[in-house]
Amino acid sequence: DSIAVNRRERARLFARLFSDHMNGGRSTSSSEKMKPPPNRGANIVVTIRYTDVKCKKIHKILFLLGTYYNLFVLVDISGSSCGDKIERKKNYAYE
């Protein structure tokens, strides 16, 4: 039963990700078609900000994408206190 629920939620997510409003709000003509979503099992890279790591909605979205694609998640730590510490360590390594 959870498989069917995940399938429905993933379909809703894909509809939002690949709909016309994600194409700059323009409707597409027959000569200007949107690209189809990647095939199942394709490699997908997603970057999220460090501040969004604890967001439950993002957790669900990443879970749903990960059930369909090979998902690689990168966490952007620039602008965070964690990123500042790493930057300082890099600077010390070169001195």
Side-chain angles (χ1 to χ4, degrees):
D1 193 43
S2 66
I3 293 172
V5 171
N6 285 341
R7 194 174 291 153
R8 277 193 301 271
E9 288 180 356
R10 189 172 54 235
R12 278 190 221 122
L13 173 65
F14 286 2
R16 282 184 155 171
L17 285 174
F18 302 110
S19 68
D20 284 343
H21 78 84
M22 294 302 288
N23 195 20
R26 316 185 310 256
S27 61
T28 55
S29 65
S30 58
S31 63
E32 186 185 282
K33 294 198 179 207
M34 289 177 45
K35 288 184 176 182
N39 292 329
R40 183 181 186 128
N43 295 328
I44 303 293
V45 179
V46 176
T47 303
I48 61 171
R49 288 178 290 188
Y50 178 75
T51 55
D52 295 333
V53 167
K54 294 182 181 179
C55 177
K56 297 292 182 193
K57 196 178 259 189
I58 290 178
H59 289 188
K60 185 65 175 179
I61 290 169
L62 293 176
F63 170 78
L64 292 170
L65 288 173
T67 61
Y68 202 75
Y69 298 117
N70 296 323
L71 184 63
F72 298 90
V73 179
L74 303 174
V75 179
D76 177 10
I77 59 171
S78 63
S80 71
S81 61
C82 183
D84 294 341
K85 289 177 188 172
I86 290 173
E87 197 61 39
R88 275 188 256 135
K89 285 182 182 177
K90 274 197 246 178
N91 290 338
Y92 288 134
Y94 294 114
E95 291 177 354

mmCIF file of all heavy atoms in Angstrom, residues 33-53:
data_model
loop_
_atom_site.group_PDB
_atom_site.id
_atom_site.type_symbol
_atom_site.label_atom_id
_atom_site.label_comp_id
_atom_site.label_asym_id
_atom_site.label_seq_id
_atom_site.Cartn_x
_atom_site.Cartn_y
_atom_site.Cartn_z
ATOM 1 N N LYS A 33 8.716 22.293 -27.728
ATOM 2 C CA LYS A 33 8.323 21.321 -26.705
ATOM 3 C C LYS A 33 9.327 21.282 -25.574
ATOM 4 O O LYS A 33 10.517 21.471 -25.777
ATOM 5 C CB LYS A 33 8.189 19.935 -27.324
ATOM 6 C CG LYS A 33 7.063 19.854 -28.299
ATOM 7 C CD LYS A 33 6.684 18.442 -28.554
ATOM 8 C CE LYS A 33 5.519 18.464 -29.528
ATOM 9 N NZ LYS A 33 4.686 17.357 -29.426
ATOM 10 N N MET A 34 8.791 21.019 -24.389
ATOM 11 C CA MET A 34 9.664 20.846 -23.231
ATOM 12 C C MET A 34 10.376 19.511 -23.345
ATOM 13 O O MET A 34 9.869 18.574 -23.948
ATOM 14 C CB MET A 34 8.839 20.859 -21.947
ATOM 15 C CG MET A 34 8.299 22.213 -21.609
ATOM 16 S SD MET A 34 7.261 22.215 -20.129
ATOM 17 C CE MET A 34 8.189 21.241 -19.003
ATOM 18 N N LYS A 35 11.547 19.442 -22.735
ATOM 19 C CA LYS A 35 12.260 18.175 -22.713
ATOM 20 C C LYS A 35 11.512 17.206 -21.819
ATOM 21 O O LYS A 35 10.988 17.605 -20.782
ATOM 22 C CB LYS A 35 13.668 18.366 -22.163
ATOM 23 C CG LYS A 35 14.596 19.087 -23.080
ATOM 24 C CD LYS A 35 15.974 19.124 -22.476
ATOM 25 C CE LYS A 35 16.952 19.759 -23.424
ATOM 26 N NZ LYS A 35 18.298 19.774 -22.888
ATOM 27 N N PRO A 36 11.466 15.940 -22.190
ATOM 28 C CA PRO A 36 10.815 14.958 -21.322
ATOM 29 C C PRO A 36 11.672 14.716 -20.085
ATOM 30 O O PRO A 36 12.878 14.973 -20.095
ATOM 31 C CB PRO A 36 10.750 13.699 -22.193
ATOM 32 C CG PRO A 36 11.845 13.871 -23.182
ATOM 33 C CD PRO A 36 11.978 15.355 -23.410
ATOM 34 N N PRO A 37 11.069 14.219 -19.019
ATOM 35 C CA PRO A 37 11.862 13.917 -17.822
ATOM 36 C C PRO A 37 12.897 12.831 -18.127
ATOM 37 O O PRO A 37 12.723 12.041 -19.056
ATOM 38 C CB PRO A 37 10.841 13.423 -16.804
ATOM 39 C CG PRO A 37 9.555 13.290 -17.508
ATOM 40 C CD PRO A 37 9.665 13.909 -18.846
ATOM 41 N N PRO A 38 13.973 12.791 -17.367
ATOM 42 C CA PRO A 38 14.980 11.741 -17.577
ATOM 43 C C PRO A 38 14.369 10.351 -17.385
ATOM 44 O O PRO A 38 13.387 10.195 -16.666
ATOM 45 C CB PRO A 38 16.018 12.020 -16.488
ATOM 46 C CG PRO A 38 15.773 13.411 -16.033
ATOM 47 C CD PRO A 38 14.339 13.692 -16.284
ATOM 48 N N ASN A 39 14.959 9.377 -18.035
ATOM 49 C CA ASN A 39 14.490 7.993 -17.907
ATOM 50 C C ASN A 39 14.744 7.464 -16.503
ATOM 51 O O ASN A 39 15.672 7.904 -15.815
ATOM 52 C CB ASN A 39 15.206 7.088 -18.913
ATOM 53 C CG ASN A 39 14.820 7.407 -20.331
ATOM 54 O OD1 ASN A 39 13.708 7.831 -20.604
ATOM 55 N ND2 ASN A 39 15.760 7.220 -21.236
ATOM 56 N N ARG A 40 13.945 6.494 -16.130
ATOM 57 C CA ARG A 40 14.120 5.850 -14.833
ATOM 58 C C ARG A 40 15.539 5.289 -14.740
ATOM 59 O O ARG A 40 16.070 4.733 -15.686
ATOM 60 C CB ARG A 40 13.106 4.722 -14.676
ATOM 61 C CG ARG A 40 13.193 4.066 -13.339
ATOM 62 C CD ARG A 40 12.205 2.928 -13.203
ATOM 63 N NE ARG A 40 12.268 2.456 -11.842
ATOM 64 C CZ ARG A 40 11.247 2.310 -11.040
ATOM 65 N NH1 ARG A 40 10.036 2.551 -11.486
ATOM 66 N NH2 ARG A 40 11.407 1.885 -9.814
ATOM 67 N N GLY A 41 16.177 5.470 -13.590
ATOM 68 C CA GLY A 41 17.531 4.967 -13.392
ATOM 69 C C GLY A 41 18.618 5.931 -13.834
ATOM 70 O O GLY A 41 19.801 5.647 -13.681
ATOM 71 N N ALA A 42 18.209 7.089 -14.390
ATOM 72 C CA ALA A 42 19.204 8.087 -14.810
ATOM 73 C C ALA A 42 19.885 8.682 -13.584
ATOM 74 O O ALA A 42 19.350 8.644 -12.476
ATOM 75 C CB ALA A 42 18.530 9.190 -15.613
ATOM 76 N N ASN A 43 21.084 9.202 -13.779
ATOM 77 C CA ASN A 43 21.805 9.868 -12.694
ATOM 78 C C ASN A 43 21.305 11.306 -12.581
ATOM 79 O O ASN A 43 21.321 12.052 -13.561
ATOM 80 C CB ASN A 43 23.308 9.873 -12.955
ATOM 81 C CG ASN A 43 23.878 8.482 -12.946
ATOM 82 O OD1 ASN A 43 23.401 7.606 -12.235
ATOM 83 N ND2 ASN A 43 24.910 8.258 -13.733
ATOM 84 N N ILE A 44 20.878 11.672 -11.392
ATOM 85 C CA ILE A 44 20.362 13.017 -11.130
ATOM 86 C C ILE A 44 21.185 13.617 -9.998
ATOM 87 O O ILE A 44 21.410 12.982 -8.978
ATOM 88 C CB ILE A 44 18.875 12.969 -10.695
ATOM 89 C CG1 ILE A 44 18.010 12.276 -11.740
ATOM 90 C CG2 ILE A 44 18.355 14.360 -10.373
ATOM 91 C CD1 ILE A 44 17.889 13.012 -13.042
ATOM 92 N N VAL A 45 21.639 14.857 -10.194
ATOM 93 C CA VAL A 45 22.403 15.556 -9.159
ATOM 94 C C VAL A 45 21.550 16.715 -8.654
ATOM 95 O O VAL A 45 21.058 17.518 -9.441
ATOM 96 C CB VAL A 45 23.745 16.090 -9.709
ATOM 97 C CG1 VAL A 45 24.515 16.829 -8.639
ATOM 98 C CG2 VAL A 45 24.572 14.948 -10.276
ATOM 99 N N VAL A 46 21.376 16.769 -7.348
ATOM 100 C CA VAL A 46 20.585 17.822 -6.710
ATOM 101 C C VAL A 46 21.478 18.519 -5.690
ATOM 102 O O VAL A 46 22.175 17.865 -4.922
ATOM 103 C CB VAL A 46 19.353 17.228 -5.994
ATOM 104 C CG1 VAL A 46 18.580 18.294 -5.244
ATOM 105 C CG2 VAL A 46 18.454 16.499 -6.969
ATOM 106 N N THR A 47 21.445 19.847 -5.686
ATOM 107 C CA THR A 47 22.183 20.614 -4.686
ATOM 108 C C THR A 47 21.179 21.304 -3.778
ATOM 109 O O THR A 47 20.235 21.925 -4.260
ATOM 110 C CB THR A 47 23.071 21.675 -5.356
ATOM 111 O OG1 THR A 47 23.951 21.034 -6.280
ATOM 112 C CG2 THR A 47 23.889 22.435 -4.331
ATOM 113 N N ILE A 48 21.374 21.154 -2.475
ATOM 114 C CA ILE A 48 20.526 21.858 -1.521
ATOM 115 C C ILE A 48 21.402 22.691 -0.610
ATOM 116 O O ILE A 48 22.563 22.378 -0.385
ATOM 117 C CB ILE A 48 19.641 20.904 -0.691
ATOM 118 C CG1 ILE A 48 20.477 19.929 0.126
ATOM 119 C CG2 ILE A 48 18.661 20.173 -1.568
ATOM 120 C CD1 ILE A 48 19.682 19.112 1.111
ATOM 121 N N ARG A 49 20.839 23.777 -0.112
ATOM 122 C CA ARG A 49 21.579 24.630 0.806
ATOM 123 C C ARG A 49 21.664 23.969 2.175
ATOM 124 O O ARG A 49 20.774 23.234 2.585
ATOM 125 C CB ARG A 49 20.894 25.984 0.951
ATOM 126 C CG ARG A 49 21.033 26.850 -0.271
ATOM 127 C CD ARG A 49 20.309 28.113 -0.066
ATOM 128 N NE ARG A 49 18.881 27.740 -0.083
ATOM 129 C CZ ARG A 49 17.892 28.588 -0.092
ATOM 130 N NH1 ARG A 49 18.116 29.861 -0.054
ATOM 131 N NH2 ARG A 49 16.649 28.170 -0.127
ATOM 132 N N TYR A 50 22.723 24.263 2.878
ATOM 133 C CA TYR A 50 22.937 23.727 4.226
ATOM 134 C C TYR A 50 21.775 24.078 5.142
ATOM 135 O O TYR A 50 21.359 23.277 5.966
ATOM 136 C CB TYR A 50 24.257 24.270 4.776
ATOM 137 C CG TYR A 50 24.550 23.831 6.178
ATOM 138 C CD1 TYR A 50 24.983 22.533 6.436
ATOM 139 C CD2 TYR A 50 24.380 24.694 7.248
ATOM 140 C CE1 TYR A 50 25.244 22.113 7.727
ATOM 141 C CE2 TYR A 50 24.645 24.295 8.542
ATOM 142 C CZ TYR A 50 25.070 22.997 8.776
ATOM 143 O OH TYR A 50 25.327 22.584 10.046
ATOM 144 N N THR A 51 21.220 25.255 4.969
ATOM 145 C CA THR A 51 20.116 25.696 5.829
ATOM 146 C C THR A 51 18.838 24.903 5.578
ATOM 147 O O THR A 51 17.941 24.906 6.411
ATOM 148 C CB THR A 51 19.831 27.192 5.617
ATOM 149 O OG1 THR A 51 19.595 27.430 4.233
ATOM 150 C CG2 THR A 51 21.002 28.044 6.095
ATOM 151 N N ASP A 52 18.733 24.222 4.440
ATOM 152 C CA ASP A 52 17.531 23.447 4.102
ATOM 153 C C ASP A 52 17.649 21.966 4.434
ATOM 154 O O ASP A 52 16.726 21.202 4.165
ATOM 155 C CB ASP A 52 17.210 23.598 2.612
ATOM 156 C CG ASP A 52 16.826 25.011 2.242
ATOM 157 O OD1 ASP A 52 16.316 25.728 3.122
ATOM 158 O OD2 ASP A 52 17.036 25.394 1.078
ATOM 159 N N VAL A 53 18.753 21.560 5.030
ATOM 160 C CA VAL A 53 18.998 20.140 5.282
ATOM 161 C C VAL A 53 17.931 19.518 6.179
ATOM 162 O O VAL A 53 17.546 18.373 5.978
ATOM 163 C CB VAL A 53 20.406 19.931 5.887
ATOM 164 C CG1 VAL A 53 20.584 18.552 6.452
ATOM 165 C CG2 VAL A 53 21.471 20.219 4.839
#
